[in-house]
Amino acid sequence: MHRLSRRSVNTLLRYGAHRRRDAVSAAAASAGSPNFNESGAERDASGRWYSVLTTASSTGPVSTKSLKLGNMIPSGKRFESTASDVQTPEAPVEKYEYQAEVSRLMDLIVNSLYSNKEVFLRELISNASDALDKLRFLSVTEPHLLEGAPELDIRIQTDQENGIITLTDSGIGMTHQEIVDSLGTIAHSGTAKFLKALKDSKDAGTDSNLIGQFGVGFYSAFLVADKVVVSTKSPKSDKQYVWEGEANSSSYIIREETDPEKFIPRGTSIQLHLKRDDKGFAHPERVERLVKNYSQFVSFPIYTWQEKGYTKEIEVDEDPAEAKKDGTDDNVEKKKKTKKVVEKYWDWELTNETQPIWLRNPKEVTTEEYNEFYKKTFNEYLEPLASSHFTTEGEVEFRSILYVPAITPMGKEDIVNPKTKNIRLYVKRVFISDDFDGELFPRYLSFVKGVVDSNDLPLNVSREILQESRIVRIMRKRLVRKAFDMILGISVSENREDYEKFWENFGKHLKLGCIEDRENHKRLAPLLRFFSSQSEEEMISLDEYVENMKPDQKDIYYIAADSVTSAKNTPFLEKLYEKDLEVLFLVDPIDEVAVTNLKSYKEKNFVDISKEDLDIGDKNEEKEKEMKQEFGHICDWMKKRLGDKVASVQISNRLKTSPCVLVSGKFGWSANMERLMKAQTVGDSSSLDFMRSRRVFEINPEHPIIQTLNAACKSNGEDEEALRAIDLLYDTALISSGFTPESPSQLGGKIYEMMNMALSNKWSTEQPAFNMHSSQTPEAEIVAEPQPTLEAEVVEPVETTSQK
């Protein structure tokens, strides 16, 4: 069967399957006809509205008979707009006939509006709830309507063997004319008509919780059934009527019920004869699960026909042969043997809860009740870290309960997947969906769980898709704000361990929020946590950092690295350690991007200490001028040797013990970011050239190595060893600054060469005898061996004195 998209459905419903844009309703409106409303309906003399999808001739007026499924090919009259006639009055007017097959329209409603077959039960229960609500409302002024069946409930019975589901309500029921209007006219909503009557009456302020307002909910029964039988009895009528329709038929029948066994005191009974592939819906457990999922909080009790059992003991006849083996006396009274058996029976079981927890006053709900609702609704075994129960009023009214879980599912969660099914949307207590793509919550808050219930959400006809609108945007802002308040409450609580647990599980989500949600930076920043140079074991907040800042400190300093150990040993920290300036350690891959997007906090800018032009508040222009004059030539000499490897060579103001460091450009990637991007592009450096930072080689003029090279530069700038020392100095600075050398093997060779030179010179200078000895030939050793004179002088000092 050919299936059309939802856009095709809307086009067909609006334009009667004609492709041209000027449909009957639009044409009638342009013609100024007073007998058409905005939806293309016609009004007769009595003021009643009818659909334009009714039979008509090409010459006569549109018929005022309401649409029935039996009208195979109703046609309407097409009017051309007269707007063009003002400019070209002589232009010919073309007239077209259009056709709209009712059977085709039925096919579109059943096969295109709904994407999930399970919703048929939700729609039928919603209609039954509306019928009960109408009866309850009308019985206030007409108490006799409740006579014969005072109980207001919904009952669902299944026949698994024959594949039949029967749903019965004790609501208002329908008369013969109401059957024709509601079931014989597609997209006619008795609920919408009832609400309009309420609005027009004096009782407009009455709180009505009617659910179905689209008029196509009943036809969702054909998603799973090939035949539907509706038996209904209205207290306003003495007769009970039966409506029968089939899925692939363009007609239906209405007859009077004559079988006394099928009489009902009041209400409607819908019998679904399921299709062969959908008979699994007739299983009692599946029906119970669907009711609990979609209609758990309908305000009327829902009973399902369930198989139950109880255990009882029955006597067991003893075998005479076994009695003889026991050898007991026949005169002695024996204890009769029994066994336990399970006796099964069928009975009605209450399936839903009539009072949702979110409709209660938050002051009356205990923490235990919130936690129990959380565990039951989201199948959790741990209690949540926090919960928030609130009601918003004004432009948008809705109730909600939000929770912060204690742990991510299975310890981990994909933060880039927004479809977590953590937010359950209800409209008038009927579950609509939990499959959202960021409409109600941004993806970085996808870990928040909860329920949202509203009476006036903009849904589509099938109630499966939340439409983009101003109301949805307002709801989203309020939900996000409440979620932040809830998380902030955890962060300021006395139990610090709760927030540490939260940060361990969901810290990355908040950092992602810094990247994606600029509007909420002020709410996100206080929740962030980092290690620092003064707090390597325990994370601190930005508020704590600002409190510990020096009086003359203007910026918030940070360094990005792959671990706390790497960060605290970096040469960039030397001067800041000396001045006792705290530096944040960004050790998570997402940290640097998050902080870069924040830019500032409490008017303090974030500054990367690994980039050029670092200002730590100790600038001395006169000293810098002297240094440039004294070491300017060595900077030029090193730049000439290094060439394009560096943008420039400068005197450093951040080094204390290291001879040199390689810093990043102010607007390029840091060494840590470059490393991460290389890993993401799988070593494809061509895509990194654009953002690769210009590197500045900074030297420490107070270090002995730089002073030695300075002397070499002055004495002999072409000395090969001095030039190789510059290369080795640069390669070493690459590693210490966090960059990756282009050729690690060449760097290793240079280090081995320098080690060889250093070691050989060292031992040859301090132990010449050892070296000389080891270098002499065996013959030389034999000649140099005897030394009797020195021996005699040391051993016999007395002989020497006697000679004096």
Side-chain angles (χ1 to χ4, degrees):
M1 182 180 293
H2 181 64
R3 306 182 73 170
L4 298 181
S5 63
R6 286 187 172 85
R7 180 176 297 180
S8 302
V9 178
N10 296 332
T11 304
L12 180 60
L13 290 175
R14 188 178 302 170
Y15 303 124
H18 200 278
R19 298 175 113 183
R20 296 179 64 89
R21 59 182 178 83
D22 45 345
V24 173
S25 57
S30 64
S33 174
N35 291 329
F36 284 86
N37 67 355
E38 293 179 355
S39 62
E42 187 185 8
R43 184 171 58 188
D44 62 2
S46 62
R48 182 173 180 177
W49 293 101
Y50 294 94
S51 170
V52 298
L53 297 178
T54 53
T55 57
S57 64
S58 59
T59 56
V62 179
S63 172
T64 56
K65 293 181 180 179
S66 57
L67 173 67
K68 298 181 177 61
L69 293 178
N71 299 328
M72 286 289 295
I73 307 178
S75 59
K77 209 167 144 182
R78 184 179 184 278
F79 296 87
E80 288 292 333
S81 173
T82 58
S84 60
D85 294 343
V86 178
Q87 298 176 356
T88 57
E90 296 180 359
V93 178
E94 298 180 355
K95 294 184 179 181
Y96 294 92
E97 298 262 338
Y98 73 93
Q99 296 177 342
E101 293 188 34
V102 175
S103 59
R104 183 58 179 157
L105 195 58
M106 273 280 294
D107 176 62
L108 292 173
I109 291 173
V110 172
N111 296 314
S112 297
L113 287 183
Y114 299 95
S115 60
N116 185 5
K117 289 185 176 183
E118 290 184 349
V119 300
F120 82 93
L121 195 59
R122 178 194 71 185
E123 297 295 319
L124 296 180
I125 291 177
S126 298
N127 290 341
S129 175
D130 285 352
L132 293 166
D133 249 329
K134 293 177 189 177
L135 177 64
R136 184 167 58 181
F137 178 81
L138 295 174
S139 65
V140 175
T141 54
E142 302 176 71
H144 67 276
L145 296 177
L146 293 175
E147 294 178 359
E151 294 184 1
L152 303 180
D153 57 20
I154 302 170
R155 297 178 182 269
I156 306 173
Q157 190 170 11
T158 58
D159 183 354
Q160 190 174 358
E161 183 178 352
N162 297 315
I164 297 175
I165 298 177
T166 304
L167 187 145
T168 305
D169 68 77
S170 56
I172 190 63
M174 290 179 284
T175 63
H176 184 279
Q177 185 59 40
E178 288 171 342
I179 293 176
V180 174
D181 292 341
S182 298
L183 304 185
T185 305
I186 295 179
H188 177 88
S189 174
T191 299
K193 183 179 178 182
F194 186 76
L195 286 175
K196 186 177 184 301
L198 285 180
K199 187 176 181 180
D200 296 338
S201 66
K202 298 180 181 179
D203 301 322
T206 305
D207 182 18
S208 177
N209 290 318
L210 301 179
I211 301 168
Q213 301 178 32
F214 295 109
V216 294
F218 167 75
Y219 299 101
S220 65
F222 290 103
L223 288 170
V224 296
D226 51 18
K227 180 182 178 181
V228 177
V229 179
V230 180
S231 182
T232 181
K233 170 69 168 61
S234 172
K236 300 178 181 180
S237 174
D238 297 332
K239 297 180 180 180
Q240 179 175 331
Y241 294 96
V242 177
W243 180 97
E244 290 186 16
E246 295 184 2
N248 297 322
S249 175
S250 59
S251 62
Y252 63 91
I253 63 171
I254 299 177
R255 59 180 172 83
E256 182 182 345
E257 182 61 74
T258 57
D259 187 354
E261 295 182 357
K262 296 181 179 179
F263 284 168
I264 55 177
R266 182 194 65 242
T268 302
S269 176
I270 301 176
Q271 191 178 75
L272 309 180
H273 296 260
L274 301 178
K275 300 174 184 177
R276 179 183 300 177
D277 296 338
D278 297 315
K279 287 189 176 182
F281 284 105
H283 196 285
E285 292 182 0
R286 188 168 187 183
V287 169
E288 183 181 21
R289 189 178 75 250
L290 292 178
V291 171
K292 288 184 176 180
N293 186 42
Y294 290 100
S295 307
Q296 176 81 356
F297 304 106
V298 169
S299 56
F300 297 96
I302 303 175
Y303 296 93
T304 56
W305 190 246
Q306 299 290 335
E307 185 181 28
K308 300 182 179 182
Y310 65 93
T311 305
K312 69 176 184 178
E313 290 188 357
I314 61 174
E315 295 182 0
V316 180
D317 294 335
E318 187 176 10
D319 190 357
E322 292 183 1
K324 291 181 179 180
K325 289 180 181 179
D326 294 341
T328 54
D329 189 358
D330 295 338
N331 297 326
V332 179
E333 186 177 353
K334 300 176 185 179
K335 187 176 181 180
K336 295 182 179 180
K337 289 186 177 182
T338 61
K339 69 175 183 179
K340 293 182 179 180
V341 295
V342 177
E343 191 77 19
K344 293 185 178 181
Y345 66 99
W346 290 84
D347 197 4
W348 294 108
E349 181 179 340
L350 181 64
T351 308
N352 68 322
E353 299 176 6
T354 56
Q355 179 63 23
I357 189 174
W358 61 80
L359 294 181
R360 296 166 57 186
N361 189 337
K363 296 179 181 179
E364 300 174 356
V365 185
T366 63
T367 303
E368 290 74 17
E369 288 177 309
Y370 283 127
N371 294 344
E372 186 63 28
F373 175 76
Y374 168 77
K375 292 179 182 179
K376 184 177 179 181
T377 305
F378 299 101
N379 296 323
E380 293 284 348
Y381 63 94
L382 294 176
E383 294 183 353
L385 290 177
S387 63
S388 177
H389 184 186
F390 59 94
T391 302
T392 61
E393 297 179 351
E395 292 182 273
V396 181
E397 297 183 4
F398 65 91
R399 297 172 182 266
S400 179
I401 302 179
L402 301 179
Y403 294 95
V404 175
I407 192 172
T408 57
M410 303 300 292
K412 295 288 181 182
E413 185 174 351
D414 186 5
I415 63 176
V416 300
N417 180 17
K419 296 184 179 181
T420 54
K421 298 185 181 294
N422 287 342
I423 300 298
R424 294 176 61 85
L425 175 65
Y426 292 81
V427 173
K428 299 180 179 177
R429 305 170 313 282
V430 176
F431 174 67
I432 300 301
S433 178
D434 58 0
D435 188 6
F436 299 107
D437 191 10
E439 288 96 339
L440 293 179
F441 266 98
R443 67 172 182 168
Y444 70 89
L445 287 177
S446 59
F447 62 88
V448 176
K449 298 185 177 184
V451 297
V452 178
D453 185 13
S454 175
N455 290 344
D456 52 359
L457 268 183
L459 303 173
N460 70 341
V461 176
S462 64
R463 292 193 279 180
E464 293 176 333
I465 301 175
L466 192 62
Q467 304 294 326
E468 269 298 327
S469 70
R470 183 178 58 87
I471 295 178
V472 177
R473 291 194 295 270
I474 294 173
M475 284 187 64
R476 177 188 170 108
K477 285 184 178 180
R478 295 185 180 178
L479 288 170
V480 170
R481 191 182 309 159
K482 289 293 183 180
F484 277 124
D485 293 343
M486 185 168 49
I487 298 171
L488 184 63
I490 304 175
S491 66
V492 299
S493 65
E494 297 179 356
N495 191 354
R496 192 180 179 97
E497 293 181 357
D498 285 347
Y499 196 74
E500 291 177 357
K501 187 187 301 183
F502 167 82
W503 184 256
E504 181 182 355
N505 289 296
F506 307 111
K508 285 185 174 65
H509 291 72
L510 299 186
K511 295 172 187 175
L512 180 64
C514 296
I515 302 171
E516 295 187 339
D517 193 355
R518 294 182 180 274
E519 294 182 0
N520 287 303
H521 276 179
K522 290 184 179 180
R523 293 187 175 94
L524 282 162
L527 303 174
L528 301 179
R529 297 293 183 269
F530 303 100
F531 292 109
S532 75
S533 58
Q534 297 180 6
S535 179
E536 299 176 6
E537 301 294 333
E538 188 175 352
M539 287 187 164
I540 63 169
S541 65
L542 294 178
D543 288 326
E544 292 173 318
Y545 180 95
V546 173
E547 289 177 4
N548 296 333
M549 288 176 63
K550 301 298 179 183
D552 56 343
Q553 185 177 346
K554 299 178 181 179
D555 302 315
I556 299 175
Y557 301 112
Y558 71 88
I559 180 71
D562 58 352
S563 66
V564 174
T565 304
S566 299
K568 71 179 182 180
N569 292 323
T570 182
F572 299 107
L573 280 171
E574 293 174 358
K575 263 294 178 62
L576 287 93
Y577 271 135
E578 183 185 19
K579 296 176 68 67
D580 195 27
L581 294 175
E582 190 173 13
V583 180
L584 296 176
F585 292 163
L586 310 186
V587 296
D588 201 51
I590 198 176
D591 284 352
E592 186 175 359
V593 185
V595 168
T596 304
N597 278 270
L598 283 180
K599 295 182 180 180
S600 64
Y601 181 69
K602 292 187 175 179
E603 300 181 354
K604 306 287 185 180
N605 294 324
F606 288 99
V607 174
D608 187 349
I609 64 171
S610 69
K611 293 192 175 182
E612 62 179 336
D613 297 334
L614 176 66
D615 181 12
I616 55 177
D618 60 347
K619 282 192 173 182
N620 189 333
E621 294 183 359
E622 293 184 1
K623 186 177 179 180
E624 288 181 3
K625 189 175 182 181
E626 293 177 0
M627 286 290 183
K628 286 182 180 179
Q629 290 178 353
E630 183 177 355
F631 293 92
H633 57 282
I634 189 176
C635 292
D636 297 337
W637 179 53
M638 286 184 169
K639 175 64 176 74
K640 182 179 178 182
R641 174 63 179 178
L642 296 175
D644 295 335
K645 293 180 180 180
V646 297
S648 63
V649 180
Q650 300 177 3
I651 306 298
S652 177
N653 66 336
R654 72 187 86 203
L655 297 177
K656 184 66 178 176
T657 59
S658 299
C660 60
V661 73
L662 202 61
V663 302
S664 304
K666 192 172 183 180
F667 301 103
W669 282 337
S670 66
N672 182 68
M673 182 58 64
E674 190 172 316
R675 174 180 60 84
L676 293 174
M677 296 307 294
K678 276 185 179 181
Q680 290 188 14
T681 54
V682 200
D684 182 14
S685 59
S686 60
S687 61
L688 303 175
D689 292 337
F690 178 73
M691 284 301 294
R692 189 189 298 274
S693 174
R694 58 189 294 270
R695 299 170 182 175
V696 178
F697 192 57
E698 292 189 358
I699 58 175
N700 180 8
E702 299 178 357
H703 198 277
I705 294 179
I706 301 301
Q707 293 176 353
T708 302
L709 289 176
N710 188 29
C713 174
K714 292 178 180 179
S715 61
N716 184 10
E718 300 299 326
D719 184 84
E720 190 64 28
E721 291 187 3
L723 296 176
R724 284 187 299 180
I726 294 175
D727 295 338
L728 182 61
L729 204 63
Y730 170 78
D731 290 337
T732 309
L734 270 176
I735 298 175
S736 63
S737 303
F739 294 97
T740 303
E742 296 179 359
S743 178
S745 60
Q746 289 184 5
L747 174 61
K750 293 176 184 178
I751 294 176
Y752 296 149
E753 183 183 355
M754 298 297 289
M755 287 179 63
N756 185 41
M757 293 173 58
L759 292 176
S760 61
N761 291 336
K762 180 178 180 181
W763 271 285
S764 63
T765 302
E766 295 182 4
Q767 299 180 7
F770 173 79
N771 289 332
M772 187 189 305
H773 224 339
S774 61
S775 62
Q776 285 178 342
T777 60
E779 291 79 26
E781 291 179 4
I782 295 172
V783 173
E785 248 180 61
Q787 302 206 2
T789 314
L790 293 175
E791 225 174 285
E793 287 179 2
V794 176
V795 175
E796 299 179 7
V798 179
E799 291 183 6
T800 308
T801 51
S802 62
Q803 290 177 358
K804 288 181 180 179

